[in-house]
């Protein structure tokens, strides 16, 4: 991979002398969906697929971005004196947003840089290709410009800040945190209220985690996502008229049931119910995993899907087909939609001896029903973003 990127780098920028090499993973969330902007818990892990980058400081104030996945955009050139979002920059608005966010936080760059990327996270799959690129850029900037005072958690927050304020998606912290802080063979149990986190080893002796890509991405994902956030904020405001809470994640399901009549709007009520119960499911699921009770973990994944489908309404027909098919296969421990929703991927835990049947039979039936193929990936849990050549 390094050679491929460095050859391209040399072709575009004269030579690759002094260029440095980086990797930033994608992520999959095992449980705890749409809880991160509600002060709840999440349980994601970093993947071994992700975004590779080659980068080198320049003498002038220009930044050059090039993606080997989207070569039709050519080299996107931006001056450090004009850090503004432009539609024509397309994908490069993600790394550019991070440069802008660094400046906003007081880290203004004096020199520009050249950056070539290549990634193997399927686009629009809900496996966080954008967070991967944001954290990659953060790692590149701190390394190239010798900024030692920013931790990996800071880079996660800067990535989220840029996505919220430069690219217009009001996402929570889960994706950038998982990408920055991932640890091989572990998932991260993060409390987004306190930002305390613990690693939990994922040791499945007789099962695999499988991601199934529906290969659909419905439009308006970002606006529907922002709507959900707003509905939760409105539900919280209604509860706060009598309760002293800062986030929906402060409520146990029991306390929520006691006070839910404060929420008058039926849609807001459903959204809040999901946020509160999903938070509890995530806490229960991690406890079950620690006790070695993978069956219970799987049941909680299934309940998570039902809640995301019926109460949070972020699933879609294609994803429901994948999950329904998975639930019918003996040896499937749990299956649910993962990520922001409206298409993308499911995540399933499947007994080793059921993996072939899972892929064959879901693959075939999905194609018959939807008209195109799904893709399957076995999850290998990897480390967070870093420079990988020195
Ligand atoms: C997207 C967002 C995350 C999180 C998930 C849903 O991936 O970027 O912050 O809210 O959706 O759990």
């Amino acid at each position: 991979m390094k050679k491929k990127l460095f050859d391209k780098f040399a072709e575009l920028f004269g030579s690759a002398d002094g260029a440095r090499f980086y990797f930033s993973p994608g992520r999959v969330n095992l449980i705890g969906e749409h809880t991160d902007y509600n002060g709840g818990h999440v349980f994601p892990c970093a993947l071994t697929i992700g975004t590779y980058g080659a980068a080198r400081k320049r003498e002038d104030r220009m930044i050059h971005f090039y993606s080997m996945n989207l070569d039709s955009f050519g080299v996107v050139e931006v001056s450090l004196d004009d850090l503004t979002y432009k539609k024509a920059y397309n994908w490069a608005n993600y790394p550019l947003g991070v440069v802008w966010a660094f400046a906003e936080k007081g880290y203004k760059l004096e020199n520009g840089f050249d950056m070539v990327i290549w990634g193997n996270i399927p686009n629009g799959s809900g496996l966080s290709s954008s967070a991967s690129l944001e954290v990659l850029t953060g790692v590149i900037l701190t390394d190239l410009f010798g900024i030692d005072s920013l931790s990996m958690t800071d880079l996660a927050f800067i990535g989220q800040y840029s996505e919220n304020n430069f690219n217009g998606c009001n996402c929570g912290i889960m994706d950038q945190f998982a990408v920055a802080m991932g640890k091989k063979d572990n998932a991260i149990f993060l409390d987004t209220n306190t930002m305390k986190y613990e690693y939990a080893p994922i040791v499945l002796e007789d099962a695999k985690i499988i991601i199934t890509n529906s290969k659909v991405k419905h439009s308006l994902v970002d606006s529907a996502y922002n709507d959900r956030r707003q509905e939760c904020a409105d539900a919280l405001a209604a509860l706060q008229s009598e309760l002293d809470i800062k986030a929906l994640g402060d409520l146990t399901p029991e306390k929520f049931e006691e006070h839910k009549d404060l929420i008058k709007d039926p849609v807001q009520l459903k959204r809040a119910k999901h946020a509160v119960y999903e938070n509890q499911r995530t806490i229960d699921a991690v406890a079950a995993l620690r006790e070695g009770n993978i069956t219970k973990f799987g049941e909680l994944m299934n309940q998570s899907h039902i809640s995301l489908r019926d109460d949070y309404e972020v699933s879609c027909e294609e994803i429901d087909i994948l999950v329904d098919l998975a639930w019918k296969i003996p040896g499937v421990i749990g299956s649910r939609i993962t990520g922001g929703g409206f298409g993308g991927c499911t995540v399933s835990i499947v007994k080793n001896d059921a993996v072939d049947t899972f892929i064959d039979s879901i693959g075939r039936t999905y194609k018959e029903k939807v008209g195109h193929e799904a893709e399957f990936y076995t999850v290998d849990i990897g480390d967070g973003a870093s420079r990988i050549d020195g």
Side-chain angles (χ1 to χ4, degrees):
M1 187 44 49
K2 184 173 177 185
K3 183 167 182 335
K4 194 167 131 178
L5 270 175
F6 275 47
D7 285 351
K8 192 69 192 180
F9 196 97
E11 183 192 318
L12 295 169
F13 307 120
S15 84
D17 296 349
R20 296 174 180 179
F21 189 45
Y22 306 85
F23 175 73
S24 177
R27 70 94 188 89
V28 66
N29 189 23
L30 300 178
I31 192 161
E33 215 67 82
H34 290 279
T35 47
D36 64 345
Y37 49 85
N38 285 309
H41 291 75
V42 293
F43 196 48
C45 49
L47 301 171
T48 52
I49 57 172
T51 319
Y52 294 86
R56 185 177 59 197
K57 209 163 153 178
R58 293 177 59 89
E59 295 302 316
D60 60 13
R61 291 183 56 77
M62 291 306 291
I63 314 173
H64 292 157
F65 296 115
Y66 184 87
S67 164
M68 292 180 74
N69 298 89
L70 296 164
D71 43 9
S72 62
F73 289 98
V75 176
V76 178
E77 300 187 18
V78 186
S79 162
L80 278 174
D81 301 310
D82 183 20
L83 298 177
T84 48
Y85 179 98
K86 292 203 174 78
K87 213 170 171 201
Y89 294 158
N90 192 273
W91 71 274
N93 281 305
Y94 287 102
L96 182 61
V98 174
V99 178
W100 169 84
F102 265 64
E104 289 284 299
K105 304 276 173 201
Y107 299 93
K108 288 199 168 64
L109 304 183
E110 291 301 324
N111 296 77
F113 59 97
D114 297 325
M115 173 170 165
V116 176
I117 64 149
W118 179 85
N120 53 4
I121 305 171
N123 251 341
S125 59
L127 302 176
S128 289
S129 53
S130 48
S132 174
L133 184 50
E134 287 155 8
V135 176
L136 178 79
T137 310
V139 170
I140 288 176
L141 297 185
T142 49
D143 184 57
L144 286 185
F145 296 96
I147 304 169
D148 300 328
S149 49
L150 293 174
S151 67
M152 288 306 285
T153 308
D154 293 333
L155 294 188
F157 276 114
I158 288 179
Q160 183 202 18
Y161 183 83
S162 74
E163 183 142 351
N164 290 173
N165 299 294
F166 196 84
N167 279 289
C169 179
N170 227 350
C171 65
I173 190 61
M174 170 171 74
D175 301 350
Q176 290 80 3
F177 193 86
V179 166
M181 302 298 289
K183 183 170 160 189
K184 190 173 164 22
D185 297 331
N186 283 261
I188 312 172
F189 183 43
L190 170 69
D191 179 349
T192 62
N193 198 15
T194 59
M195 292 310 286
K196 286 205 176 111
Y197 65 95
E198 285 166 26
Y199 291 106
I202 302 289
V203 196
L204 302 176
E205 308 262 294
D206 60 351
K208 299 236 168 342
I209 302 175
I210 301 200
I211 295 173
T212 308
N213 187 351
S214 68
K215 303 196 82 176
V216 285
K217 183 187 182 195
H218 291 286
S219 54
L220 299 177
V221 175
D222 285 359
S223 66
Y225 182 92
N226 291 346
D227 290 347
R228 296 295 180 284
R229 255 199 105 140
Q230 189 56 48
E231 287 155 1
C232 287
D234 292 344
L236 174 66
L239 291 165
Q240 282 170 329
S241 65
E242 282 188 18
L243 291 176
D244 182 20
I245 52 168
K246 290 200 177 55
L248 294 174
D250 290 343
L251 292 176
T252 58
E254 294 71 31
K255 192 121 195 244
F256 174 74
E257 291 301 330
E258 247 174 70
H259 297 277
K260 68 179 182 190
D261 293 344
L262 291 168
I263 308 170
K264 302 293 175 220
D265 180 290
V267 173
Q268 290 170 19
L269 180 63
K270 286 205 282 186
R271 307 300 191 240
K273 178 181 164 213
H274 167 79
V276 171
Y277 279 79
E278 180 76 355
N279 184 35
Q280 188 63 48
R281 272 191 290 275
T282 308
I283 296 167
D284 293 347
V286 175
L289 187 75
R290 291 204 160 122
E291 287 160 11
N293 190 347
I294 193 72
T295 309
K296 179 157 181 212
F297 190 93
E299 279 163 13
L300 290 162
M301 287 174 78
N302 297 346
Q303 286 172 23
S304 164
H305 183 77
I306 293 168
S307 177
L308 288 158
R309 183 190 68 194
D310 298 344
D311 285 335
Y312 219 67
E313 296 178 283
V314 289
S315 189
C316 61
E317 200 187 334
E318 296 87 348
I319 289 284
D320 288 341
I321 290 174
L322 288 176
V323 170
D324 285 336
L325 290 170
W327 285 346
K328 290 195 186 107
I329 297 176
V332 172
I333 295 164
S335 186
R336 58 180 285 272
I337 188 172
T338 184
F342 309 101
C345 293
T346 67
V347 59
S348 310
I349 302 184
V350 185
K351 286 248 161 89
N352 287 340
D353 53 16
V355 168
D356 290 346
T357 315
F358 181 91
I359 295 176
D360 293 346
S361 87
I362 296 183
R364 203 171 344 100
T365 319
Y366 184 75
K367 176 142 195 237
E368 276 163 26
K369 291 196 173 196
V370 174
H372 65 254
E373 314 243 347
E375 271 175 14
F376 299 86
Y377 328 105
T378 305
V379 171
D380 290 313
I381 304 179
D383 285 319
S386 67
R387 180 171 165 192
I388 49 178
D389 66 345

